Each structure stands twice: as C-alpha cells, then as structure tokens.
Amino acid sequence: MSLVKIKPHPGPQTQFFETDADIIVFGGAAGPGKSWCLLIEPLRYIHNGGYNAVLLRRDKEQIRQSGGLWDESQNWYPSLGAKGREQQLDWRFPSGASVTFDAILHEQDKLKYQGAQICYIGWDELTHFTESQFWYLQSRNRSMCGVRPYMRATLNPDPDSWVYRNLIGPWVNPNYLQDDEEFTAAPGEVLWFRRQDDERLWYSREQIPGGMTLAYIPALHDANPTLLEKDPGYLDRLANLPEIDRRRLLEGDWSAVGAGGLIDPTKWTWVDELPEPCYLWCRGWDTGLTEGGDESAGILGGRGATSDKIYVLVDEIWCDAVATSVLKQAIRTCAENDRGETCLVAVERSTASLSLIDDLAQDPFFTHPRSLVQVPTRGRDKWQRATGWVARAEEGRVVFVGNPNSAKARALMGECRRFTIDKRAPGYSTQKDNRIDGMSVMFEALRDYRDTSHRAPTYPVVPGSDQYYARLAGIEEEDDD
C-alpha cells in the first residue's frame, strides 16, 4: 500500500485535530471543511484493531446523498485499505478497526445503541439532533481499545437550538451568565464542565473532579482554501442568500435571528417569585406525537387569587421529544409535582393526541381535583390560538416568573421571537412552536375553566378547603344568613 498523505489546512482545521478535549464542537459558517474533519478524524487510529467509530446524521438519506459522508469517505478510505459495504454504510480497515455511518431520525432510535461501546462518535450537524439523543449516545461513548473515548460535532449557527442554550453558550453568547455573572470563553478555549441540574452545565477553567472537557472551535470559509480554489463562485452564492441565512452561513453569525414580529418578548413582565397566591393551577400540554418526533411541551401557569393575572412558572417548563409512553409518564409525573393536587392537566385535542387523551381519561389519577381538560383547536391556526395570551402578556396580565436569562427562559423567548406565519420566511418549515402551543393550551384552560361570573376572590382561598373546590367546580356558596 502506497503512502497516503492527509494534512489539514492551518487554522481551525488543524486546531480541530490538535485540541485535546472530550467533546469538540466545530463549525459556524458553511464551507470550512467540517464534514471532512469528521471523516478524517478516525484515520489516526485505524491501526488499532479494537477501535471503532460511528458518524451520525439525523436522516440516512443525508448520508447517501451526493457530497454526503458516504460519498466523501470513498475519496479517502479505500486508499488506506478499507473495505466498504454500501448497504450497511460501514468501512472495515485491515487491522479490524471500523467506521460506521448511521442515522437517528426518531427520538427512540437512540435506544438501538443500548449496550453499545463506541470509541469515537461524530455528529454531523449537531443542531439537527435532540439534546437527549446527544447525551444518551454520550453514555455509549466508551472504549476498551486503549484510546480514550471522545465525541466530535459540526454545525452551522442556530441561536434557537439547545446547542446554543445548553452546550456552547460561553463561546457563542456574549451575554452568557453563570451564577448571575458574565462568563464567556475564547474561541477554541477548553473548559471543564459538569451538569449542575437537568438543564444546565456548569463550566470552569479549572479542573473539576469527575468533570469533562469541552471546546468550541469557530470556522469560516477561509479555513478551507481547497474549496475556494475548486469553486471560486461559492462565496457569491452565499452572499446572495436571504439575510438570516447569509449571516449564518457566510458570516457564521450566532446572533442572526429571524424577526417573526408577531410575538415580542421584550414587552413581557418578569418577576423573581410569585407576588400572590394562585387559587387555580394548570399545566398545558402540546404533544409532538408526529412521525418526525417533534418535541412536546408542558407549560405550568397559575391564576392569581387577588389580581386574576396568570403567572407562568418558566423554571418548570417541560420540553422534550419522546415517545407516547414516555410522554404519558411525564404528564403524570408533572401532575404529581405541580403545586400539590390542585392543578388542571390540559391537553390540546388534535388528531395526533386523541389516543393519548383517551388513555389519560381512563387513568383514575386524572380525576377531580386533578381534572383532565381537553382544549380543542376549533379550526384555528397556531397564531389565532396564541393571540389571547400574547396580548395579555404585552399588557402585563400574563406575568413570567423566573430568571429571564435562564436556559428555559431563553428557549421560550427564542421560540416566540422567531415565530412566523409567513411561509416564505427563512426557517418557516423548521420553526419550533411547541412551547407557544403549550402556552396557548394553558392559557385557554385557565381562562375558560370557570364561568366569568365567578371572578377571582379578593381574599385568599386556602388550597384544599371546601370553598376552594367549590370555586374549581364553578359553584357559588350561599351566605349562611
């Protein structure tokens, strides 16, 4: 076998291969050679017969398409003695080392790797995957071949993604806060991290016992001179994209957010804690039970006992892409924890959720005072259903409780900021609106659950009292005299 020389370009590509970290996220603009780096990375260990790698895309067709991972791997792997199997999408080198390409389309597809042992996991376009898919596969990232297990990922900017909020915030968000103080990292800087809670990582420049290391390496098109030599018109095509796509793909701009214009979170009212007791609580659920495995969202809100305002507990937002059985358990778990027993469980009634609603309705757990409420769409689109709470939020009658800089708050505001009904707008086909729908379900359930003649009392109502349940049922108690 003749000598094959493979060398990255100086700059971000070289930095990608030389940085020592458990997880490296690489990318930004289009064209710096992100996928090439993922493909070349495992070649340094192909003489180790126990080494294996799995490179992932969300959709298998993306792997097979022209210029995709499989297509590009044929330019390099055969010259190193590898034998490929196109049907299985894998390569095996003379030593026994292997590289496999695979897809994780649906949320539950991650479970096919249960029990697996993978030394190197590469994620092509990480923002296309869900957060739970990423961290579940990280639990399969282990090795007995002598090579320390590691993960590498590529992406383009998406400021509304979980990657921006919960993974690489210190590198890409100039206003990132940690412990209420600004905390930012230099491009390519390696930080230690550990999980602080279910949503957020805690970062440090000092070694953390039991922690892991992470780096984000930004790159623009000039990181890959080979592309520009072979296709000098590429930059012109990027420059003529619509503004948001141009800023992201040409300039690698993480602050480029589509201006939906319908929902303006800057007009919202925020408080640190509940300013008054609430006599009625409700968690509104939007179910993402579709073939594509969209996220489901549960939004918890309460109706003030004196002001009749609706308070949204942002820190208790639940959002994930899960199968029906898991979602059903999540709804029950949230109901058990949501402000005691006195909380409505509201589910948007749609074709996709009918089976789930029927199952919940047969569960004795969801009976008074944990009333199950079905909120019909009545032929209204998402914006028509959202206008009620959006208008009241701008008036200060829907109030958000929590830290507006928290990960869950940023996720909610980002989703709202980008929301559009213009099918021609950039990102319309891929926009997320599950939290918005959950807000609409919660709001309508709280607004319509009781007759308008039964206004909120001007005095506190003790949860659990006969008077409390009478008001839940819409019954006015008569005076004893």
Side-chain angles (χ1 to χ4, degrees):
M1 182 172 58
S2 60
L3 180 65
V4 178
K5 185 177 182 180
I6 302 174
K7 185 178 180 180
H9 291 292
Q13 287 190 3
T14 296
Q15 191 177 13
F16 173 88
F17 291 106
E18 293 183 349
T19 299
D20 184 15
D22 297 311
I23 303 171
I24 292 177
V25 182
F26 178 60
K34 301 185 296 292
S35 298
W36 181 86
C37 287
L38 284 184
L39 285 169
I40 299 303
E41 167 58 39
L43 299 184
R44 66 174 90 196
Y45 299 116
I46 60 174
H47 300 296
N48 184 328
Y51 177 84
N52 69 330
V54 174
L55 305 186
L56 298 167
R57 284 297 303 250
R58 191 67 191 263
D59 190 328
K60 187 159 288 188
E61 291 306 311
Q62 295 170 331
I63 299 173
R64 299 181 183 275
Q65 67 187 6
S66 177
L69 290 173
W70 179 258
D71 194 23
E72 287 296 307
S73 68
Q74 296 184 70
N75 294 328
W76 302 97
Y77 289 11
S79 61
L80 296 169
K83 302 296 183 182
R85 298 185 300 173
E86 186 169 1
Q87 189 65 30
Q88 291 82 2
L89 291 175
D90 63 15
W91 293 92
R92 185 167 296 274
F93 293 85
S95 67
S98 65
V99 176
T100 300
F101 305 118
D102 199 6
I104 304 181
L105 178 59
H106 304 297
E107 181 64 24
Q108 62 269 25
D109 289 348
K110 65 188 179 184
L111 299 178
K112 65 185 175 182
Y113 284 99
Q114 188 173 10
Q117 181 173 283
I118 310 168
C119 186
Y120 163 48
I121 301 175
W123 303 83
D124 201 13
E125 299 296 346
L126 181 59
T127 57
H128 293 183
F129 297 88
T130 68
E131 186 171 9
S132 62
Q133 288 173 337
F134 178 77
W135 290 114
Y136 182 84
L137 265 292
Q138 192 267 330
S139 72
R140 307 298 94 197
N141 192 203
R142 49 188 179 170
S143 170
M144 295 290 288
C145 68
V147 177
R148 188 180 76 180
Y150 61 106
M151 295 204 298
R152 300 291 184 260
T154 68
L155 45 64
N156 295 125
D158 182 355
D160 292 315
S161 68
W162 68 267
V163 181
Y164 177 87
R165 298 190 307 269
N166 300 340
L167 189 64
I168 60 173
W171 291 269
V172 296
N173 181 0
N175 300 312
Y176 189 84
L177 295 179
Q178 178 167 283
D179 298 334
D180 296 325
E181 295 183 0
E182 184 177 296
F183 185 88
T184 57
E189 181 179 2
V190 177
L191 296 180
W192 285 83
F193 74 88
R194 60 175 170 79
R195 186 167 293 280
Q196 188 176 36
D197 50 44
D198 286 342
E199 288 293 326
R200 194 168 178 122
L201 302 181
W202 191 86
Y203 303 90
S204 174
R205 290 183 169 84
E206 305 296 328
Q207 183 172 351
I208 302 175
M212 298 177 63
T213 51
L214 168 68
Y216 170 68
I217 301 174
L220 300 177
H221 50 79
D222 56 5
N224 187 13
T226 302
L227 171 63
L228 302 183
E229 291 172 3
K230 294 183 177 180
D231 187 359
Y234 183 62
L235 295 186
D236 293 334
R237 294 194 294 276
L238 293 180
N240 282 285
L241 291 172
E243 180 186 1
I244 300 302
D245 291 337
R246 173 178 53 77
R247 288 172 57 190
R248 292 182 182 181
L249 300 180
L250 179 63
E251 304 168 17
D253 186 354
W254 281 89
S255 67
V257 178
L262 296 175
I263 307 176
D264 185 0
T266 64
K267 298 180 179 179
W268 293 356
T269 299
W270 289 83
V271 295
D272 294 332
E273 55 187 24
L274 277 173
E276 60 175 318
C278 292
Y279 74 95
L280 177 61
W281 290 94
C282 175
R283 185 178 286 271
W285 288 92
D286 172 65
T287 63
L289 304 177
T290 61
E291 184 178 350
D294 292 339
E295 290 180 337
S296 299
I299 310 293
L300 178 62
R303 194 146 196 173
T306 55
S307 69
D308 215 20
K309 292 180 179 178
I310 289 179
Y311 296 95
V312 182
L313 302 191
V314 174
D315 289 341
E316 298 189 34
I317 291 176
W318 187 97
C319 190
D320 201 355
V322 295
T324 303
S325 59
V326 179
L327 177 59
K328 190 188 311 179
Q329 183 58 47
I331 292 175
R332 177 163 183 152
T333 300
C334 286
E336 290 173 341
N337 297 329
D338 284 346
R339 307 285 149 168
E341 297 181 346
T342 51
C343 186
L344 306 179
V345 179
V347 182
E348 181 180 67
R349 186 173 182 86
S350 64
T351 302
S353 66
L354 288 179
S355 176
L356 172 67
I357 290 174
D358 289 343
D359 288 346
L360 295 176
Q362 296 174 25
D363 189 337
F365 178 82
F366 295 103
T367 56
H368 185 74
R370 294 189 185 94
S371 301
L372 178 65
V373 179
Q374 301 179 42
V375 178
T377 61
R378 301 189 183 97
R380 300 165 299 160
D381 62 27
K382 294 177 182 294
W383 174 236
Q384 290 172 324
R385 300 199 299 272
T387 51
W389 71 261
V390 171
R392 285 164 178 77
E394 294 183 355
E395 297 168 356
R397 290 194 286 158
V398 170
V399 178
F400 297 83
V401 183
N403 181 357
N405 292 311
S406 69
K408 290 186 176 181
R410 294 198 305 271
L412 174 62
M413 290 189 289
E415 184 175 298
C416 290
R417 193 172 57 246
R418 293 197 62 192
F419 179 73
T420 180
I421 57 175
D422 183 359
K423 296 182 179 181
R424 299 167 300 175
Y428 171 82
S429 61
T430 58
Q431 73 174 347
K432 297 181 182 298
D433 48 36
N434 309 88
R435 296 171 181 85
I436 295 173
D437 285 348
M439 283 284 299
S440 301
V441 172
M442 176 272 294
F443 173 80
E444 291 193 8
L446 286 179
R447 182 194 63 191
D448 300 339
Y449 185 70
R450 55 187 173 78
D451 189 273
T452 55
S453 64
H454 307 301
R455 301 294 299 172
T458 57
Y459 50 88
V461 175
V462 179
S465 67
D466 291 341
Q467 184 186 49
Y468 180 94
Y469 292 125
R471 290 193 179 278
L472 283 182
I475 302 172
E476 283 287 352
E477 295 182 314
E478 297 181 357
D479 294 335
D480 292 334
D481 53 58

